[in-house]
Amino acid sequence: MKLDASMMKYQTANEFRVLVSIEMGMKNHEIVPTTLICSISGLKIGLVNKALRSLHKNKLVHHEAKSYDGFKLTYLGYDFLSLKAMSHRETVSAVGKQIGVGKESDIFLVADQNGEELCLKLHRLGRTSFRAIKNKRDYMKHRKAASWLYMSRLAAIKEYAFMKALYAHDFPVPKPIDHSRHCVLMSLCKGYPMCHVDHVRHPGKVYNELMNLIIRLAQHGLIHCDFNEFNLMIDDEENITMIDFPQMVSTTHENAEFYFDRDVQCIRTYFERRYNFIADYYPKFSDYNDRVYNLDVEVEASGFNKKAEATLEQFINRDETEAGNEADTIELEGNDNISDEEDEEDEQERKDQLKEMRKRILEQQRAENTPERELVSLKRDDTEEKEDLDFILQEGDDSDDEQPSDTKTEAQEGEDIPEDEAEEAEEAEEAPKKLKKKKKAQANADIRYKVKKNLARRNKPKLKPNSNKNRTKRSNRALIKEDRD
């Protein structure tokens, strides 16, 4: 579905609140009933129906009334919710043209408040060209069924986590900036997709850089699983940038060797076919079992479970435990207890580090799922403050009008002005006020009279010219005239 961000500025707070309510209701409903939308949003049925009509007209929601009357979000409505959240966080202020499209996502050019151009990736799982998500992706895990919107959200969360971890370890990836629901905001890569590049000045250098990148990922415990010319960017200086990370798996995955060899073979066949470059050297998975960093543990890559985590920690700490056991034979029992406590503290620190990223993602997800009361109440608070200011100004004007009269009476008491003159002065001051009130009342009365007259004309039944009632009226008038004559 084409994204038209120009409609977003015309959406009201109630419409966004209804969209959030439908999103929350879709957690356990495929089609959210209208009554549930009212209860979640906290709005009256009339306001909800008005918002739903506008949203359905702009194709932000889909209506179904087979078993019961209900609505569900479309990808366009989901786009509006994520863009609203990012604009509220001041990370996106303008949306530009579409610069890329794939089987799983759409890429748009956006800008922040400073005018810097960024890249926005909108995940679009469920297209007819790529529906085998259960077999080729691990987004669902233990779930048997899920909506395409929810799986797009999971893909975005996973990609943002991988991108953030890889960027922190100086991998050639775009800079992650923000993410919301199924959208990932990143820096704009200056380059071209490798599949569009027909000639490379130094194919051997580029080939070695790509192979080193595959090896470096494996040493950090990750395999890309889709390392080909469509997911690689190259600039004029032949610098490589890697993109598209949701399908990455751990080196402890049961099919890790197959995925590693497939990535290597994809690069070899592409360079041989496009650039006529044949390399004798290529890496093998069995040659790179030594780890530099456990990045798959940090981001919880596919294939890395609790059992693998326990065995990996045991393997890493094997030398330390052996040295500790030799020292324990010499030391006293009290020192044994101290060392055990230190080991427990170290294990607790590791667990806390592993849970940090998980907590951040969950907190952000919960913040997005809750109804955005701040967004909804912004305009209402502004109007309430304006009404309060108007009321205060009116009170101030009244007080200003009263103050001169008090000062005058005090002056009159000080100067001992006669009572007759004081009464005449008060009547002269009140005369224009009375005239204004009288004119206002007369104008209101005229308006009421005109309104009643117009209503009476509208409500008066129209009679046909040849109806029986008109005939009786005409005959009666003729009789009255004859009697007069």
Side-chain angles (χ1 to χ4, degrees):
M1 184 176 288
K2 187 178 179 181
L3 174 62
D4 186 9
S6 62
M7 296 188 298
M8 187 174 169
K9 56 187 176 183
Y10 300 110
Q11 303 298 318
T12 62
N14 287 340
E15 291 174 2
F16 277 110
R17 191 167 184 80
V18 169
L19 281 177
V20 174
S21 303
I22 296 173
E23 181 192 12
M24 295 180 68
M26 287 180 69
K27 289 182 180 179
N28 47 15
H29 290 78
E30 185 178 359
I31 306 296
V32 186
T34 309
T35 54
L36 183 60
I37 297 171
C38 294
S39 62
I40 294 174
S41 63
L43 300 174
K44 294 181 179 180
I45 185 66
L47 296 174
V48 171
N49 288 332
K50 182 181 178 181
L52 287 172
R53 282 195 296 271
S54 177
L55 295 172
H56 187 262
K57 181 181 178 182
N58 295 325
K59 297 182 180 180
L60 302 181
V61 296
H62 176 70
H63 176 247
E64 284 192 13
K66 293 181 180 178
S67 56
Y68 57 87
D69 187 62
F71 294 83
K72 67 177 181 180
L73 281 176
T74 62
Y75 266 118
L76 186 58
Y78 215 42
D79 295 343
F80 274 39
L81 285 176
S82 58
L83 288 173
K84 183 70 174 178
M86 288 184 179
S87 64
H88 183 64
R89 292 197 288 263
E90 298 181 354
T91 53
V92 174
S93 61
V95 180
K97 63 181 181 179
Q98 186 175 357
I99 58 176
V101 63
K103 64 182 185 297
E104 299 179 70
S105 61
D106 291 337
I107 312 298
F108 285 85
L109 188 69
V110 298
D112 59 4
Q113 288 189 340
N114 299 325
E116 183 181 358
E117 291 184 346
L118 303 173
C119 180
L120 181 67
K121 183 175 182 179
L122 306 174
H123 286 262
R124 296 269 195 257
L125 297 183
R127 286 174 169 166
T128 54
S129 60
F130 189 69
R131 284 180 173 263
I133 304 296
K134 289 184 180 180
N135 300 329
K136 298 184 179 181
R137 298 289 184 268
D138 63 335
Y139 304 145
M140 298 180 67
K141 293 183 180 179
H142 60 279
R143 302 176 184 86
K144 294 182 180 180
S147 65
W148 294 117
L149 292 177
Y150 184 66
M151 284 197 288
S152 299
R153 182 194 188 103
L154 294 178
I157 292 172
K158 190 174 182 181
E159 182 170 14
Y160 183 78
F162 277 120
M163 195 187 304
K164 193 173 181 181
L166 292 171
Y167 185 81
H169 289 81
D170 297 329
F171 278 87
V173 298
K175 180 182 178 181
I177 297 173
D178 193 7
H179 92 283
S180 175
R181 294 174 175 87
H182 68 309
C183 299
V184 180
L185 184 66
M186 65 192 85
S187 61
L188 186 64
C189 298
K190 295 182 179 180
Y192 316 95
M194 187 171 280
C195 60
H196 296 163
V197 178
D198 295 330
H199 175 71
V200 177
R201 294 191 302 272
H202 306 95
K205 176 189 172 184
V206 177
Y207 176 83
N208 290 331
E209 187 176 351
L210 293 174
M211 291 301 168
N212 290 330
L213 186 56
I214 294 174
I215 294 168
R216 191 180 168 199
L217 283 171
Q219 289 175 347
H220 282 73
L222 292 173
I223 300 173
H224 192 278
C225 294
D226 199 10
F227 199 83
N228 52 41
E229 64 274 16
F230 299 101
N231 295 326
L232 294 170
M233 305 283 290
I234 185 169
D235 59 4
D236 296 331
E237 298 177 357
E238 296 183 352
N239 295 321
I240 300 296
T241 304
M242 182 174 57
I243 58 174
D244 196 12
F245 318 103
Q247 69 284 338
M248 294 183 80
V249 299
S250 172
T251 51
T252 58
H253 195 277
E254 56 183 357
N255 298 324
E257 186 173 0
F258 168 75
Y259 292 135
F260 183 89
D261 294 339
R262 188 180 68 177
D263 288 347
V264 173
Q265 193 63 31
C266 283
I267 299 300
R268 290 186 67 200
T269 54
Y270 176 73
F271 270 75
E272 183 179 355
R273 185 181 69 251
R274 179 62 68 89
Y275 307 125
N276 295 323
F277 179 82
I278 301 174
D280 297 331
Y281 167 76
Y282 61 93
K284 295 182 180 179
F285 182 74
S286 57
D287 298 337
Y288 301 98
N289 291 326
D290 297 334
R291 286 190 177 218
V292 177
Y293 190 81
N294 300 320
L295 205 58
D296 54 347
V297 182
E298 185 176 342
V299 296
E300 293 185 353
S302 176
F304 191 87
N305 50 20
K306 292 183 179 179
K307 185 177 180 181
E309 181 182 353
T311 55
L312 181 63
E313 288 185 356
Q314 186 178 1
F315 176 77
I316 292 170
N317 299 325
R318 182 177 60 185
D319 296 334
E320 296 178 0
T321 54
E322 288 177 358
N325 290 331
E326 290 178 358
D328 290 340
T329 56
I330 300 170
E331 293 178 355
L332 298 172
E333 294 180 356
N335 292 331
D336 293 339
N337 296 330
I338 294 170
S339 62
D340 292 337
E341 292 176 358
E342 289 177 353
D343 292 337
E344 290 178 359
E345 291 177 358
D346 293 337
E347 290 178 1
Q348 189 65 30
E349 288 178 359
R350 289 193 198 94
K351 290 179 181 179
D352 293 339
Q353 289 176 358
L354 293 174
K355 290 179 181 178
E356 280 183 2
M357 184 169 289
R358 204 183 311 165
K359 286 181 180 179
R360 290 173 187 170
I361 293 171
L362 288 173
E363 288 175 0
Q364 197 164 5
Q365 187 176 357
R366 288 170 186 166
E368 292 172 357
N369 283 334
T370 53
E372 299 175 344
R373 292 184 175 274
E374 296 179 359
L375 292 174
V376 174
S377 60
L378 277 177
K379 292 184 178 179
R380 293 182 181 177
D381 293 341
D382 293 339
T383 53
E384 288 174 0
E385 290 176 2
K386 190 174 179 182
E387 290 175 359
D388 295 339
L389 288 172
D390 293 337
F391 180 72
I392 291 166
L393 289 171
Q394 288 178 2
E395 288 184 346
D397 294 337
D398 296 340
S399 61
D400 293 338
D401 293 338
E402 291 173 358
Q403 282 176 0
S405 63
D406 294 336
T407 53
K408 285 182 180 179
T409 52
E410 289 174 1
Q412 288 172 3
E413 289 176 1
E415 295 175 1
D416 295 333
I417 297 172
E419 293 181 359
D420 296 336
E421 294 180 0
E423 289 178 359
E424 290 177 359
E426 288 178 1
E427 289 178 359
E429 289 177 358
E430 291 178 358
K433 293 182 180 179
K434 289 180 180 179
L435 285 172
K436 285 182 181 179
K437 287 182 180 179
K438 194 172 182 182
K439 289 179 180 179
K440 194 173 182 180
Q442 187 66 31
N444 292 333
D446 294 340
I447 291 168
R448 284 195 294 270
Y449 175 75
K450 289 179 181 178
V451 170
K452 287 180 181 179
K453 197 172 182 181
N454 291 331
L455 289 173
R457 286 178 182 175
R458 289 178 186 176
N459 297 329
K460 187 176 181 180
K462 294 181 179 179
L463 300 174
K464 296 180 180 179
N466 295 326
S467 62
N468 293 327
K469 290 185 178 180
N470 283 343
R471 289 173 184 171
T472 55
K473 284 183 179 180
R474 289 172 185 171
S475 62
N476 291 333
R477 288 173 185 170
L479 291 171
I480 292 168
K481 285 183 180 180
E482 290 178 358
D483 294 337
R484 289 179 181 175
D485 295 338

